[in-house]
Amino acid sequence: MQKPRMIRNILIPTALFVLAGVAFADDAAPKPKTVIVHAGHLLDVRTGKMLANQTIVIEGDKIVSVGAYPRAGAGPAASGPKMPDDAQMVDLSNATVLPGLIDAHTHITFNPSFGYQTLAISGPREALTGAKNAKITLEAGFTTLRNLGASDYADVALRDAINAGDVPGPRLLVSGPALSITGGHCDNNLLPYEYHATHGGVADGVEAVQHKTREIIKYGADVIKICATGGVMSKGDDPNAAQYTLEEMKAIVADAHRLGRKVAAHAHGAQGAIWASEAGVDSIEHGHLMNDEAIATLKKNGTYLVPTLYLMDWQRENAAKANLPEYSRKKMEMVSEVGRTAAKKAFAAGVKIGFGTDAAVYPHGLNAHEFAVYVKLGMTPLQAIQTATVNDADLLGWSDKIGTIEPGKFADIVAVDGDPLGDITTLERVKFVMKGGEVVKNMYTASQK
């Protein structure tokens, strides 16, 4: 009978100590910071309504409420909802406020360098380049990116560093190395045979692509990228030529979707785009050489098109300093000649459009120049803005997290002067950026009280 009493004498004080420790930990837990944003004008990107004099209440990294002040013209100090005394006030009363922008096709760990000079760039160096580009892109107003292709999982490392708070940058969904056939776009075709150089995503045949898809997911990919046709910046392939077979792409998509990853397919030519859409990919990237059949296939299957169009303008306007290899220059001229026509047809046909830039083909931070191209090809400014907000949120599978300024969403907010519904180029001059309730950039600070 003495033994249970002894055990009880030990356990009770120990339990009290543990409970006291839990209570102490709860007391010590930091209270989420409250931030109050006063928006002179707030664009509802779903409806296109421009709402005046709105209050956005943020706790921690999430929006908890959005609504009008009780009287027109009221400032942050006016009567309204009861706010904590230590709340941070952000005055955007002279600005137009929108959700943080999304770019669904970047190469954040690459710089605009092409051809043989890229062989000297190591995986660690690529990740550090990505840290620089991530900050630039975030300050340009893009709070979420989908990165489609990086060497040695450099984008996985960058994503994890951003999530840990080690470096500033957008939210990242990353692919790691893109899947490619041997010798195709996304393989390493710059070195002769004796080097036996092969890119990390190369796989041929159904069994091999299944294994490669699983391997890439194992090492941290959020999304799978496949190269369904040849490309522009690669040597020795044809952008019109389909690469993976329909059966190979079906195998990739089946494994990726079963394991909870979406699939993005680089595809310029029509046949590759058709096969990729029929295989069930979630988006076609580029689509510059698509014909009417390919456009109809995307429409039928509900496949997103991410058209990446501004790169053509930038390359044409900066041909001398772009320094493209001759093989890339000729292919860029070919896709530029017809790329806009294909995109315009897709817009008119009602294909779902996502916003993506292929940044790294031109300098990072210029991403918002893509909007004006969409408007020139027939979109309204609101439709163009929707591609980089609600559409991209849907494409990424993050509609419950980003894309609108609504309660429960991440507090990702940008602000500009003027009205982007009247002049879409205002989005090229973002003056305020908030990611997850933290102010990243504020050019209105001088007017803050």
Side-chain angles (χ1 to χ4, degrees):
M1 296 296 294
Q2 294 299 316
K3 190 173 182 180
R5 186 180 299 117
M6 181 174 64
I7 292 172
R8 187 168 62 249
N9 290 340
I10 294 171
L11 289 178
I12 290 175
T14 302
L16 290 173
F17 177 78
V18 170
L19 289 172
V22 170
F24 178 78
D26 287 342
D27 290 342
K31 181 182 176 183
K33 181 176 68 173
T34 300
V35 180
I36 313 300
V37 177
H38 175 49
H41 297 89
L42 188 153
L43 177 62
D44 181 339
V45 295
R46 294 190 191 278
T47 66
K49 292 181 180 178
M50 191 67 78
L51 306 173
N53 201 37
Q54 297 290 298
T55 308
I56 307 167
V57 181
I58 299 159
E59 289 184 1
D61 61 357
K62 300 287 180 60
I63 297 168
V64 296
S65 69
V66 183
Y69 272 116
R71 58 186 177 83
S79 61
K82 179 65 176 175
M83 305 302 176
D85 293 337
D86 60 349
Q88 177 186 348
M89 309 300 291
V90 179
D91 183 6
L92 300 177
S93 56
N94 295 317
T96 299
V97 172
L98 303 89
L101 302 173
I102 309 165
D103 189 334
H105 190 129
T106 67
H107 297 283
I108 199 69
T109 64
F110 299 162
N111 276 335
S113 57
F114 313 104
Y116 287 93
Q117 60 184 311
T118 62
L119 295 176
I121 301 172
S122 68
R125 183 67 180 91
E126 194 176 306
L128 291 170
T129 296
K132 177 196 72 173
N133 293 334
K135 183 175 185 292
I136 291 170
T137 308
L138 178 60
E139 291 179 353
F142 288 82
T143 53
T144 302
L145 306 180
R146 185 178 63 163
N147 198 70
L148 295 181
S151 305
D152 302 323
Y153 298 91
D155 56 353
V156 172
L158 177 62
R159 176 202 64 198
D160 294 348
I162 291 171
N163 290 346
D166 297 338
V167 296
R171 307 179 193 284
L172 293 184
L173 286 165
V174 302
S175 73
L179 273 76
S180 171
I181 66 168
T182 297
H185 185 64
C186 301
D187 193 3
N188 184 341
N189 297 335
L190 296 175
L191 293 170
Y193 167 78
E194 57 264 32
Y195 287 92
H196 302 287
T198 301
H199 192 267
V202 170
D204 301 298
V206 169
E207 185 176 346
V209 299
Q210 287 177 320
H211 175 80
K212 184 60 68 173
T213 299
R214 296 168 187 175
E215 177 182 88
I216 290 171
I217 291 172
K218 171 185 176 179
Y219 291 117
D222 304 299
V223 60
I224 296 297
K225 181 186 178 181
I226 63 176
C227 294
T229 73
V232 171
M233 298 301 174
S234 47
K235 183 180 180 183
D237 60 356
D238 179 358
N240 266 306
Q243 294 192 159
Y244 276 122
T245 65
L246 177 59
E247 290 72 23
E248 287 170 320
M249 286 194 280
K250 283 182 176 179
I252 294 167
V253 171
D255 266 33
H257 284 179
R258 188 179 68 256
L259 296 172
R261 271 65 170 186
K262 294 197 174 192
V263 181
H266 160 102
H268 287 289
Q271 187 63 73
I274 290 169
W275 282 352
S277 179
E278 295 287 19
V281 304
D282 299 281
S283 63
I284 296 295
E285 310 299 310
H286 315 305
H288 297 152
L289 303 175
M290 291 194 304
N291 58 19
D292 292 346
E293 181 187 358
I295 291 168
T297 301
L298 267 63
K299 172 66 175 176
K300 170 178 70 76
N301 293 330
T303 311
Y304 269 95
L305 172 65
V306 180
T308 65
L309 297 171
Y310 174 67
L311 64 87
M312 302 174 191
D313 294 345
W314 191 90
Q315 288 288 337
R316 183 179 61 254
E317 294 165 4
N318 298 274
K321 66 180 180 182
N323 198 30
L324 289 181
E326 184 63 15
Y327 59 82
S328 291
R329 186 188 62 77
K330 289 181 178 179
K331 290 194 281 185
M332 181 62 75
E333 290 175 355
M334 177 179 70
V335 300
S336 297
E337 185 177 345
V338 296
R340 284 194 172 199
T341 299
K344 187 173 184 177
K345 286 183 176 181
F347 295 175
V351 172
K352 294 194 292 187
I353 304 298
F355 182 101
T357 63
D358 216 6
V361 176
Y362 60 88
H364 296 273
L366 302 180
N367 311 58
H369 286 70
E370 186 84 6
F371 289 111
V373 185
Y374 294 0
V375 172
K376 288 176 183 176
L377 295 181
M379 284 191 185
T380 66
L382 176 62
Q383 288 171 331
I385 292 167
Q386 288 172 332
T387 66
T389 51
V390 290
N391 290 14
D392 269 359
D394 177 56
L395 171 58
L396 272 54
W398 275 12
S399 291
D400 60 335
K401 299 178 181 178
I402 58 174
T404 57
I405 297 177
E406 294 176 315
K409 302 288 183 73
F410 283 122
D412 296 349
I413 295 170
V414 300
V416 295
D417 289 339
D419 180 3
L421 297 181
D423 179 4
I424 195 67
T425 67
T426 60
L427 297 178
E428 299 168 17
R429 300 176 292 278
V430 167
K431 297 183 71 173
F432 174 90
V433 180
M434 171 184 284
K435 177 195 166 193
E438 296 291 334
V439 177
V440 174
K441 172 182 177 180
N442 190 356
M443 295 174 69
Y444 297 105
T445 304
S447 62
Q448 304 278 84
K449 298 298 183 183

